[in-house]
């Protein structure tokens, strides 16, 4: 097992990121943060305040109450991707899916709103954009995703005209405004990313929620999904639900019939393939993905797109003492989902507390993922999996997708449970 | 430097044993993980902290250990119907179900 590398004195992993100079940084005081983390125990620093990071901070404190936990997150509030589609559908407001960090401060986590610019794995420090240097005994990084810009002619500037809305916040608001401005009878095109990507059912729940909005407000309109895959998550359950609630309003075209997307014209809101050009009234192009920017800046991807990790402790295969969780990490058998990140964070928090309390080995965990998607306001579908951890990845012990041909009462119950899941998991993470 | 830091950290660690760790049975790998705190941490995402659910999903904080084991074993065997629990319960061994119930309901 590749954990507990306390005696590793190698300097191979010594990393200095351009722009972060130790000498300059050490001259800075802890600006504006007189209070540190509560406790007198080992220092765990968590980078990223989303589903993975915020959960990790909370659960290190839960499993090791005397541990000193610092969470570093640039934003003062976090808008979740889960339920951002329900916002597009008009089912929840933005406030419902926005969370602050006071709940973590209350339990003694030191929350620092700053950006990590550098990692020194040998010294056990991270450097922040303010110049501050933070020491850790173990570091947990949950960087989320970044996009592979400039493929298909889609870049950050294009996303201001053609939103991806796959990091929730201003992009989600932009997409909703475009839907509201569209005339009845228009066509909304969604172009889901190729594998692997965050939240496999996400683009298809989005199609559902956009159709829900259109059915209520612009019923002559259409949703066209031009996919880069030939199958998708919960496909049978979505397809059944679409038929039952929206008739033929949603059309899904598999990659084999779409062809290879050659370009996106943001000004014209069109997508060109090797076969055709598709013109949209609202275009939602979701680019292909890789680990979040900070993971690359910290040297945790080992030159690849994602972060390789030990499958039991999620300790980085590249930099010892650093653990990577969530969408950015390669955790075999698990999807890149908010609930999976929450589960990984708990497993990781447990491992980190044990390792910093003298353990040399960590027991593989049994863990889970539950994901609800809304097809309509009264129609929910689940997928749930229980896994047993092994050194090679996560082996399913049970689970599955919501069964086919269930009655409306069953689907309505699951729509209610979707809201319940959101309320409870948000509370579990941000308080 | 790293070595020195960790020595300090471990030195501190010896001074406290968290309640959660006290029940972990050490770090020896075994065939099945019976860590109740970690196993039950998966339940709260739907059923709420301590089983106190906000919203539509049933709360489970009113169940005693016997009732909870019974419900989970019935979901596991298929005797009890549900939307999602019949998918989830079979993923756990009987001993893990016992550990989960102990964690949430107490002994």
């Amino acid at each position: 097992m590749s954990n507990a590398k306390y005696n590793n004195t190698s300097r191979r992993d010594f990393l200095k990121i351009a722009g972060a100079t130790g000498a300059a940084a050490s001259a800075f005081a802890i600006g504006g943060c007189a209070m540190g983390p509560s406790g007198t125990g080992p220092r765990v620093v968590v980078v990223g305040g989303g589903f993975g990071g915020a959960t990790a901070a909370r659960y290190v404190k839960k499993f090791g109450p005397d541990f000193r936990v610092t969470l570093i997150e640039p934003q003062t509030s976090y808008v979740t991707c889960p339920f951002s589609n329900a916002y597009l559908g008009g089912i929840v407001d933005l406030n419902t899916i926005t969370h602050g960090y006071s709940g973590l401060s209350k339990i003694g986590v030191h929350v620092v709103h700053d950006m990590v610019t550098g990692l020194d794995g040998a010294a056990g420090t991270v450097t922040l954009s303010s110049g501050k240097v933070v020491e850790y005994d173990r570091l947990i990084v949950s960087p989320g995703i970044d996009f592979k810009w400039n493929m298909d002619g889609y870049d950050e500037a294009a996303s201001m005209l053609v939103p991806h809305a796959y990091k929730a916040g201003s992009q989600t608001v932009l997409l909703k405004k475009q839907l509201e401005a569209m005339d009845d009878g228009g066509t909304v095109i969604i172009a889901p990313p190729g594998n692997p990507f965050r939240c496999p059912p996400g683009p298809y729940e989005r199609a559902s929620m956009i159709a829900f909005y259109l059915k209520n407000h612009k019923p002559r309109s259409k949703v066209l999904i031009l996919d880069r895959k030939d199958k998708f998550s919960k496909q049978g359950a979505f397809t059944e639900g679409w038929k039952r609630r929206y008739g033929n309003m949603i059309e899904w075209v598999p990659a084999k019939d779409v062809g290879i997307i050659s370009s996106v014209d943001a000004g014209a809101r069109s997508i060109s393939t090797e076969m055709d050009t598709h013109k949209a009234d609202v275009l939602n192009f979701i680019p292909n993905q890789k680990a979040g920017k900070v993971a690359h800046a910290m040297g945790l991807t080992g030159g690849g797109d994602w972060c390789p990790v030990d499958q039991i402790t999620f300790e980085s295969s590249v930099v010892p003492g650093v653990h990577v969780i969530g969408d950015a990490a390669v955790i075999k058998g698990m999807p890149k989902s908010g609930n999976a990140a929450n589960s990984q964070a708990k497993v990781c928090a447990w491992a980190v507390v044990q390792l910093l309390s003298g353990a040399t080995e960590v027991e593989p965990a049994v863990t889970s993922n539950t994901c609800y998607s809304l097809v309509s306001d009264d129609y929910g579908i689940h997928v749930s999996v229980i896994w047993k951890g092994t050194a090679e990845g996560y082996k399913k012990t049970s689970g599955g997708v919501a069964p086919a041909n269930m009655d409306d009462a069953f689907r309505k119950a699951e729509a209610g449970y979707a809201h319940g899941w959101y309320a409870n998991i948000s509370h579990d993470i941000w308080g | 430097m790293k070595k020195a830091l960790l020595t300090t950290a471990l030195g501190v660690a010896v001074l406290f044993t968290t309640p959660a760790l006290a029940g972990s049975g050490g770090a020896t790998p075994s065939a099945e993980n019976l860590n109740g705190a970690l196993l039950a941490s998966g339940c709260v995402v739907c059923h709420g902290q301590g089983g106190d659910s906000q919203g539509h999903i049933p709360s489970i904080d009113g169940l005693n250990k016997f009732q909870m084991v019974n419900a989970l074993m019935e979901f596991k065997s298929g005797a009890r119907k549900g939307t999602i629990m019949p998918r989830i319960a079979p993923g756990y061994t009987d001993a893990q179900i016992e550990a989960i119930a102990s964690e949430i309901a107490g002994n």
Side-chain angles (χ1 to χ4, degrees), chain A residues 2-3 138-141 300 307-319 321-326 329-332 334 340-352 355 362 365 367 389-390 393-394:
Chain A
S2 67
N3 44 47
R138 290 242 164 207
L139 182 70
I140 301 174
V141 187
L300 295 171
C307 305
V309 293
D310 177 272
Q311 298 294 294
I312 307 291
T313 63
F314 309 137
E315 183 168 3
S316 169
S317 315
V318 186
V319 187
V322 178
H323 301 248
V324 187
I325 55 172
V330 180
I331 296 170
K332 291 165 195 159
M334 286 202 208
N342 170 274
S343 292
Q344 291 157 13
K346 290 165 179 172
V347 172
C348 186
W350 182 260
V352 162
L355 292 170
V362 174
T367 189
T390 74
Y394 286 76

Side-chain angles (χ1 to χ4, degrees), chain A residues 42-54:
Chain A
R43 297 159 306 176
V44 176
V45 174
V46 181
V47 178
F51 278 77

Side-chain angles (χ1 to χ4, degrees), chain A residues 87-371:
Chain A
Y87 164 76
L88 293 174
I91 289 173
V92 300
D93 60 19
L94 202 58
N95 196 40
T96 305
I97 59 169
T98 306
H99 304 276
Y101 294 97
S102 60
L104 286 167
S105 303
K106 267 183 215 152
I107 59 162
V109 173
H110 184 213
V111 181
V112 177
H113 294 298
D114 203 338
M115 185 109 68
V116 172
T117 53
L119 165 68
D120 185 337
T125 61
V126 285
T127 306
L128 310 185
S129 63
S130 60
K132 192 182 154 193
V133 176
V134 183
E135 293 183 338
Y136 63 80
D137 297 317
R138 290 242 164 207
L139 182 70
I140 301 174
V141 187
S142 189
I145 58 149
D146 193 13
F147 300 110
K148 292 186 172 180
W149 297 111
N150 304 323
M151 287 175 71
D152 324 298
Y154 184 81
D155 57 17
E156 219 153 345
S159 74
M160 300 301 152
L161 297 169
V162 169
H164 54 74
Y166 227 65
K167 285 189 186 182
S170 58
Q171 279 279 302
T172 322
V173 173
L174 177 61
L175 180 56
K176 187 165 170 69
K177 282 188 174 148
Q178 292 186 357
L179 291 167
E180 287 166 354
M182 189 183 85
D183 291 333
D184 190 9
T187 298
V188 179
I189 295 181
I190 300 173
N195 290 323
F197 66 103
R198 146 181 292 181
C199 189
Y204 313 95
E205 185 194 54
R206 176 167 294 173
S208 312
M209 286 290 94
I210 289 177
F212 178 74
Y213 167 78
L214 296 174
K215 188 181 172 183
N216 289 331
H217 300 281
K218 289 149 193 180
R220 294 189 299 115
S221 309
K222 187 176 157 68
V223 180
L224 178 63
I225 307 168
L226 299 177
D227 218 328
R228 270 171 277 182
K229 303 177 291 301
D230 286 329
K231 56 181 185 177
F232 61 89
S233 173
K234 300 181 182 172
Q235 186 165 354
F238 271 117
T239 306
E240 180 194 338
W242 291 344
K243 204 84 196 155
R244 280 168 68 171
R245 286 294 176 274
Y246 308 114
N248 296 318
M249 188 182 249
I250 299 173
E251 184 189 350
W252 175 72
V253 188
K256 64 181 170 59
D257 297 329
V258 173
I260 293 164
I261 293 173
S262 53
S263 67
V264 176
D265 185 334
R269 286 178 179 158
S270 68
I271 288 185
S272 293
T273 70
E274 54 192 346
M275 305 176 196
D276 214 345
T277 292
H278 304 268
K279 171 97 181 71
D281 295 290
V282 173
L283 177 56
N284 173 216
F285 183 81
I286 309 170
N288 287 339
Q289 297 165 18
K290 60 182 179 180
K293 232 173 246 170
V294 75
H296 297 272
M298 293 170 91
L300 295 171
T301 61
D305 283 342
W306 307 97
C307 305
V309 293
D310 177 272
Q311 298 294 294
I312 307 291
T313 63
F314 309 137
E315 183 168 3
S316 169
S317 315
V318 186
V319 187
V322 178
H323 301 248
V324 187
I325 55 172
D327 294 343
V330 180
I331 296 170
K332 291 165 195 159
M334 286 202 208
K336 297 185 184 302
S337 80
N339 200 148
N342 170 274
S343 292
Q344 291 157 13
K346 290 165 179 172
V347 172
C348 186
W350 182 260
V352 162
V353 168
Q354 286 196 81
L355 292 170
L356 288 175
S357 301
T360 52
E361 292 242 15
V362 174
E363 205 172 358
V366 169
T367 189
S368 59
N369 178 60
T370 293
C371 158

